[in-house]
């Protein structure tokens, strides 16, 4: 995932160009949001909500 050449185009640069949060831009507030997204219960709740909506 690293650039083939020094200072070349890599996946991190591509992600930044697409508007994704770059690693060096992660601060305390964004780290908290990332932690919440990694919680399995959050995703279980999302799935249950979608299943209820489909019924």
């Amino acid at each position: 995932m690293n650039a083939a050449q020094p200072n070349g185009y890599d996946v991190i640069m591509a992600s930044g160009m697409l508007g994704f949060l770059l690693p060096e831009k992660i601060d305390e507030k964004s780290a908290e949001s990332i932690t919440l997204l990694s919680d399995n219960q959050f995703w279980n709740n999302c799935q249950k909500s979608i299943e209820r909506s489909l019924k």
Side-chain angles (χ1 to χ4, degrees), residues 37-50:
L37 283 173
S38 66
D39 180 31
N40 284 334
Q41 188 59 50
F42 169 78
W43 293 107
N44 288 337
N45 291 342
C46 289
Q47 181 175 350
K48 288 176 185 176
S49 177
I50 292 168

Side-chain angles (χ1 to χ4, degrees), residues 12-33:
I12 300 296
M13 183 184 295
S15 294
M17 293 172 77
L18 291 171
F20 293 102
L21 186 63
L22 295 172
E24 64 267 17
K25 300 286 186 181
I26 295 175
D27 59 11
E28 189 173 315
K29 183 179 180 181
S30 57
E32 182 179 330
S33 297

